[in-house]
């Protein structure tokens, strides 16, 4: 029997098949460096399914072992210019032994691993979709002390496999309307705001006006600043008009008095 067949046999006999029911469904976050394995790499796999290997942390491994088929996963790009949740995947099968731990030529080889008593496990995940608007770590951090105070990503950022509560999962999904795609973070491109169900959200930019607005305000100052500039300009214009009106009235009165003499 080949080594790979033995590994699959051990995995199928030592781990009962997991199926997630609606009442105990869990949610997850998996971190990967995009240069090594990106959301696009997963999407390009046959049947859009890839094996998540290389886990060499016991806490992360224990999370892998708790995964059930059908559970949803945030796919997170880490160690890059703009760390962010970029897509959603799902658990395609129960955990099984990671063959890379037994391959001396592989960078994830573990000399202490034993095919008869597997130490490290991986899981098959299936690509579901890319997020239209990536949810950046920078945005998530703004809720560190409020809605996302329990999010493991913000408390133990180095862990590559993390469980996400249903409450945090739903809240994070609501942030898509707040965050432009990672490719559009440049100030020159600006941020597209939209209505969001979250308590904190980017305000809808007000229409630009050339009246009293500086170039900076025209190019995308926060709406509150633009509103103040515009309001100030309107007030100044009104005050000038009133002053001119008073001057004309005063001059007319003086002329009338001279004519009366």
């Amino acid at each position: 029997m080949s080594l790979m067949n033995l590994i699959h046999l051990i995995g199928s006999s030592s781990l009962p098949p997991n199926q997630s029911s609606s009442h105990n469904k869990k949610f997850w976050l998996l971190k990967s460096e995009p240069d090594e394995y990106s959301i696009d790499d997963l999407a390009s796999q046959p049947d859009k399914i890839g094996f998540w290997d290389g886990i060499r942390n016991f806490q992360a491994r224990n999370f892998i072992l708790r995964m059930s088929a059908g559970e949803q996963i945030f796919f997170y790009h880490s160690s890059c210019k703009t760390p962010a949740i970029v897509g959603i995947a799902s658990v395609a099968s129960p955990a099984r032994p990671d063959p890379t731990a037994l391959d001396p030529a592989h960078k994830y080889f573990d000399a202490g691993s034993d095919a008869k008593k597997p130490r490290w496990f991986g899981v098959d995940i299936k690509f579901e979709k890319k997020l239209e608007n990536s949810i950046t770590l920078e945005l998530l951090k703004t809720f560190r002390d409020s809605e996302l105070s329990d999010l493991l990503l913000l408390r133990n950022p180095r862990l590559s496999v993390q469980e996400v509560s249903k409450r945090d999962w739903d809240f994070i999904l609501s942030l898509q309307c707040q965050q432009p795609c990672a490719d559009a973070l440049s100030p020159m491109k600006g941020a597209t705001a939209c209505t969001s169900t979250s308590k904190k959200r980017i305000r809808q930019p007000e229409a630009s006006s050339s009246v009293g607005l500086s170039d900076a305000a025209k190019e995308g100052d926060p709406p509150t600043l633009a509103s103040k500039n515009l309001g100030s300009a309107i007030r100044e214009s009104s005050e000038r008009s009133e002053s001119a009106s008073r001057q004309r009235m005063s001059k007319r009165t003086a002329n009338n008095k001279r004519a009366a003499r």
Side-chain angles (χ1 to χ4, degrees):
M1 181 181 294
S2 68
L3 177 60
M4 286 302 296
N5 287 337
L6 177 60
I7 290 173
H8 286 294
L9 179 61
I10 293 172
S12 62
S13 61
S14 60
L15 294 174
N18 293 333
Q19 284 293 331
S20 178
S21 60
S22 58
H23 68 277
N24 65 357
K25 182 178 180 181
K26 297 180 288 295
F27 298 87
W28 307 95
L29 182 145
L30 297 180
K31 299 172 61 177
S32 180
E33 298 179 13
D35 291 341
E36 183 171 341
Y37 195 82
S38 70
I39 187 73
D40 293 323
D41 293 325
L42 176 61
S44 67
Q45 296 297 308
D47 298 323
K48 301 184 184 299
I49 295 177
F51 184 65
W52 199 268
D53 59 16
I55 300 301
R56 299 297 180 265
N57 173 283
F58 286 106
Q59 185 179 3
R61 181 208 62 182
N62 292 341
F63 280 139
I64 288 284
L65 291 172
R66 294 182 56 215
M67 290 183 175
S68 298
E71 293 177 342
Q72 291 184 293
I73 300 165
F74 280 139
F75 198 109
Y76 180 92
H77 281 174
S78 64
S79 301
C80 54
K81 183 177 180 180
T82 308
I85 296 171
V86 296
I88 294 178
S90 62
V91 180
S93 67
R96 55 187 172 88
D98 181 355
T100 65
L102 302 171
D103 182 0
H106 201 281
K107 66 177 180 179
Y108 293 134
F109 172 66
D110 177 15
S113 294
D114 185 344
K116 295 181 180 180
K117 296 179 64 176
R119 174 185 295 178
W120 304 114
F121 293 81
V123 68
D124 290 305
I125 67 171
K126 182 177 182 179
F127 171 84
E128 297 294 342
K129 69 175 183 178
K130 290 181 70 173
L131 297 183
E132 182 178 350
N133 293 331
S134 299
I135 303 170
T136 66
L137 177 62
E138 181 181 9
L139 176 60
L140 294 174
K141 284 181 176 179
T142 64
F143 302 97
R144 187 204 307 267
D145 299 321
S146 52
E147 287 88 346
L148 298 177
S149 59
D150 295 328
L151 185 66
L152 193 55
L153 177 66
L154 303 179
R155 294 188 289 113
N156 188 0
R158 297 184 63 83
L159 196 62
S160 63
V161 181
Q162 306 180 2
E163 187 170 0
V164 178
S165 71
K166 176 67 164 61
R167 182 179 64 86
D168 287 350
W169 177 275
D170 291 339
F171 180 78
I172 290 170
L173 283 180
S174 77
L175 298 179
Q176 287 184 85
C177 287
Q178 293 194 37
Q179 183 60 55
C181 293
D183 295 339
L185 287 177
S186 167
M188 296 298 294
K189 296 181 180 179
T192 302
C194 62
T195 303
S196 171
T197 58
S198 65
K199 296 180 181 177
K200 300 180 182 179
R201 60 178 182 269
I202 293 177
R203 297 181 58 184
Q204 185 72 30
E206 298 180 7
S208 296
S209 171
S210 60
V211 181
L213 287 181
S214 66
D215 291 340
K218 295 175 189 176
E219 293 176 2
D221 273 0
T224 51
L225 178 58
S227 299
K228 290 178 180 178
N229 290 343
L230 181 57
S232 176
I234 292 173
R235 286 194 299 273
E236 290 174 4
S237 177
S238 177
E239 290 169 359
R240 286 196 296 270
S241 296
E242 291 177 1
S243 176
S245 178
R246 286 194 297 270
Q247 290 176 3
R248 286 194 299 272
M249 183 66 72
S250 176
K251 183 178 295 186
R252 192 177 298 116
T253 301
N255 290 337
N256 292 337
K257 288 182 178 180
R258 284 196 294 271
R261 294 193 189 108

